[in-house]
DNA sequence: CAAGAGATCATCT
DNA sequence: GATGATCTCTTGA
């Protein structure tokens, strides 16, 4: 079943947890790609110094203030796109970053886009995942309850979950140590253990 | 294998 | 003008 809007309206930490074990689906003219989400991070509201919205409501963060269930895609380090899904009520800026996934379908296409044959190197990181799924800023603000990019619930039980601090947010002061990163335990496709 | 540098640009100061 | 919610390659043990 395709996940619908009410799921994303929940508390961000809850969404981040519950996305583990679900399937990210991308329909594209080149073909379909599907991967099982194994790593996520929560970015929660204007108080969270790691969250872009802590800097206020700007053109870039506008999407996070909008309706839940939309994609927040941005570009960092001059190279990489990051895929987030907006959560919680409209007006409260929060999102879940999809950090890693285990390729399931369209693996040949992912290999071509990534320029590697190693399955563990296709989507084991937020930038890699976006490259494997051909996700860029044209999808920013797009509805993830539509038919282009969405999450499917295959009915699997929620897997065993490990919690750690978020990656790459050393600047976030007292928020950097918060356990807002979630990964499927013992899974070989996460970005780092 | 671990550590470090370099790549490169949108966004905000 | 600085700086990132990163990745890859090179270096050296």
């Amino acid at each position: 079943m395709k996940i619908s809007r009410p799921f994303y309206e929940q508390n961000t930490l809850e969404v981040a947890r519950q996305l583990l074990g679900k399937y990210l689906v991308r329909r594209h003219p080149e073909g379909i790609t599907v991967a099982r989400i194994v790593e996520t991070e929560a970015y929660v509201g204007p108080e969270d110094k790691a969250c872009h919205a802590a800097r206020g409501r700007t053109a870039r963060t506008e999407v996070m203030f909008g309706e839940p269930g939309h994609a927040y895609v941005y570009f960092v380090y001059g190279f990489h796109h990051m895929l987030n899904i907006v959560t919680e009520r409209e007006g409260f800026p929060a999102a879940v970053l999809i950090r890693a996934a285990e390729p399931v379908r369209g693996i040949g296409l992912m290999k071509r886009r990534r320029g590697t044959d190693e399955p563990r190197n296709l989507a084991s990181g937020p930038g890699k995942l976006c490259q494997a799924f051909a996700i860029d800023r044209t999808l920013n603000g797009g509805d993830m309850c539509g038919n282009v990019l969405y999450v499917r619930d295959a009915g699997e039980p929620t897997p065993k979950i490990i919690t750690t601090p978020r990656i790459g947010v050393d600047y976030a002061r007292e928020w950097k140590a918060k356990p807002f990163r979630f990964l499927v335990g013992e899974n070989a496709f996460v970005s780092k253990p």
Side-chain angles (χ1 to χ4, degrees):
Chain A
M1 288 205 10
K2 187 184 299 181
I3 293 197
S4 56
R5 194 136 2 250
F7 175 86
Y8 299 112
E9 252 165 338
Q10 303 176 88
N11 175 280
T12 306
L13 298 176
E14 204 50 45
V15 175
R17 268 178 189 284
Q18 291 184 24
L19 280 174
L20 296 179
K22 295 191 168 46
Y23 291 79
L24 182 68
V25 182
R26 164 80 161 123
R27 296 186 182 278
H28 185 280
E30 289 182 317
I32 189 171
T33 46
V34 180
R36 181 169 173 261
I37 299 170
V38 296
E39 181 176 339
T40 60
E41 279 178 5
Y43 289 84
V44 190
E47 306 295 313
D48 179 357
K49 292 191 174 64
C51 183
H52 291 161
R55 308 254 178 177
R57 188 164 185 158
T58 66
R60 181 216 216 178
T61 60
E62 186 59 29
V63 182
M64 270 202 281
F65 284 85
E67 187 177 47
H70 286 255
Y72 169 42
V73 180
Y74 67 94
F75 187 63
V76 267
Y77 298 118
F79 288 83
H80 306 290
H81 295 278
M82 304 280 125
L83 171 65
N84 300 252
I85 309 179
V86 176
T87 58
E88 308 208 27
R89 65 177 198 278
E90 206 165 332
F92 184 83
V96 172
L97 170 69
I98 310 296
R99 283 192 56 90
E102 176 176 349
V104 172
R105 199 173 150 196
I107 295 179
L109 182 52
M110 295 190 210
K111 287 180 175 174
R112 207 176 332 135
R113 287 172 176 159
R114 291 272 306 125
T116 175
D117 273 334
E118 171 54 60
R120 285 154 65 122
N121 201 25
L122 294 177
S124 54
K128 300 178 190 178
L129 183 145
C130 284
Q131 192 182 8
F133 274 68
I135 290 168
D136 60 27
R137 273 166 313 181
T138 61
L139 295 178
N140 187 37
D143 191 0
M144 294 197 58
C145 302
N147 285 315
V148 177
L149 179 65
Y150 58 89
V151 180
R152 178 164 23 220
D153 185 353
E156 286 183 38
T158 306
K160 186 168 194 157
I161 295 173
I162 293 175
T163 304
T164 79
R166 293 171 290 187
I167 305 291
V169 295
D170 289 347
Y171 58 87
R173 307 170 63 95
E174 74 272 18
W175 287 79
K176 81 175 184 194
K178 297 213 183 271
F180 284 4
R181 174 169 177 252
F182 304 95
L183 359 78
V184 174
E186 315 270 311
N187 186 283
F189 295 84
V190 298
S191 67
K192 51 188 73 161

